[in-house]
Amino acid sequence: MSSPGRKDLPKSIEAVLDKPFDGLFGDTAELRVLQEIVADPYSNYTHRELMDLTGLSDPSVRRGIRVLIDHGIIRNMSSARRSPLYRANLDSKKLTALTFLSYASLDERTGSLSMDDAVRRYCDYIPLNVEVLPLAEGSTLVRYKLPDYGKASSKAKGSQAIIGEA
Amino acid sequence: MADEDEYRLRAKFLGWLKRNGGAKHLTTCEKKLRHLGLEVDSTIGLWEQDRITIALSRGDKVVWLKDIEWADEWAKMHDVEVPHHAQSQYLLTKEKLR
């Protein structure tokens, strides 16, 4: 069925075409909205635009949006109740993790290194709480303060990991 | 979106395609390009066919990102590779200045 000069899509890509996260979690309305936001977290979306981009009905998009708001992945930036404007929460770790997942799926199919590159780049932006303390003459202690994980893991609060001595 | 330069919008499109598994139906790509304020001819038609091309899947036209590394470079250059805290701070500052 190919037209002259037009190549067929490789079978490995065809198998996952239009499946959110390569079909790893199935294919639901919520996942389609999530995939759209993960694919471009830098744009704003109206309700109508999300319907258009995902091909979903009004109630399905509404359901998807509710889930993403509950998980802190998107926010409504509009103060007008009747015309919400959604934007990804760029501080959401779930959003970042899902971005890595989308790269992982692609990398495993194509042999690319998008996830490795993205992880490296992301690490450049993590503000590390590092202290360099002088010890005895000519030696220093590099101390990395672990983050406070809250009440659930209060043992970790204020603890330190020594990541190097020189 | 009018204050964004066209190169950044193209980088956003490539990033979108990449995070969608590297291929999407042409009709869906047209919708996304419109959402970004771009045209198909001035975007996909502009790039070399060994980087991004239109292929067929069960008779349907599909935009296929063939050169992932090249798309990665676009994303890195325009900081649309991975969401991070500094980007949200930048947006907040920009909104406050408005």
Side-chain angles (χ1 to χ4, degrees), chain B residues 1 4 8 21-23 25 28 42-43 53-54 57 59-60 65 76 79 93-95:
Chain B
M1 265 177 262
E4 274 188 285
R8 184 173 153 84
H25 282 101
T28 315
S42 64
T43 311
T53 192
I54 294 175
S57 167
D60 292 332
L65 179 63
K76 276 181 222 165
D79 194 20
T93 314
K94 216 169 118 183
E95 268 158 25

Side-chain angles (χ1 to χ4, degrees), chain A residues 58-105:
Chain A
D58 180 9
S60 297
V61 168
R62 207 170 291 282
R63 208 168 57 237
I65 286 170
R66 202 181 313 126
V67 172
L68 298 195
I69 288 180
D70 287 350
H71 282 269
I73 293 173
I74 58 169
R75 289 171 179 158
N76 180 7
M77 306 306 291
S78 169
S79 50
R81 201 164 160 253
R82 286 191 156 270
S83 50
L85 187 67
Y86 303 104
R87 182 193 287 169
N89 170 16
L90 299 174
D91 279 327
S92 163
K93 293 199 175 191
K94 288 173 195 159
L95 178 70
T96 306
L98 289 163
T99 305
F100 292 142
L101 175 63
S102 66
Y103 290 148
S105 305

Side-chain angles (χ1 to χ4, degrees), chain A residues 1-3 6-10 13-14 17-18 22 35-36 38-45 49 52-53 77 87 90-91 95-96 99-100 102-103 106 109-110 112 114 117-118 121-122 125, chain B residues 1 4 8 12 15-16 18-25 28 31-32 34-36 54-58 61-62 64 66 68 72 76-77 79-89 91 95:
Chain A
M1 287 292 283
S2 311
S3 43
R6 195 79 83 192
K7 274 184 82 173
D8 280 332
L9 197 66
I13 300 176
E14 199 164 62
L17 187 65
D18 279 339
D22 279 11
Q35 169 79 79
E36 198 57 46
V38 169
D40 177 10
Y42 304 105
S43 293
N44 296 332
Y45 299 88
E49 283 168 341
D52 189 38
L53 290 165
M77 306 306 291
R87 182 193 287 169
L90 299 174
D91 279 327
L95 178 70
T96 306
T99 305
F100 292 142
S102 66
Y103 290 148
L106 183 71
R109 263 191 296 107
T110 65
S112 55
S114 294
D117 275 356
R121 196 163 166 85
Y122 179 70
Y125 290 102
Chain B
M1 265 177 262
E4 274 188 285
R8 184 173 153 84
K12 279 166 77 169
W16 171 86
K18 197 173 64 164
R19 288 186 283 271
N20 265 304
K24 268 288 203 192
H25 282 101
T28 315
K31 286 178 187 173
K32 183 60 192 175
R34 269 201 304 273
H35 176 234
L36 291 169
I54 294 175
L56 289 174
S57 167
R58 299 184 179 100
K61 287 181 182 174
V62 170
W64 173 24
K66 292 174 82 178
I68 309 287
D72 283 346
K76 276 181 222 165
M77 200 178 291
D79 194 20
V80 290
E81 191 181 25
V82 63
H84 58 79
H85 181 65
Q87 290 168 340
S88 73
Q89 292 307 300
L91 282 176
E95 268 158 25

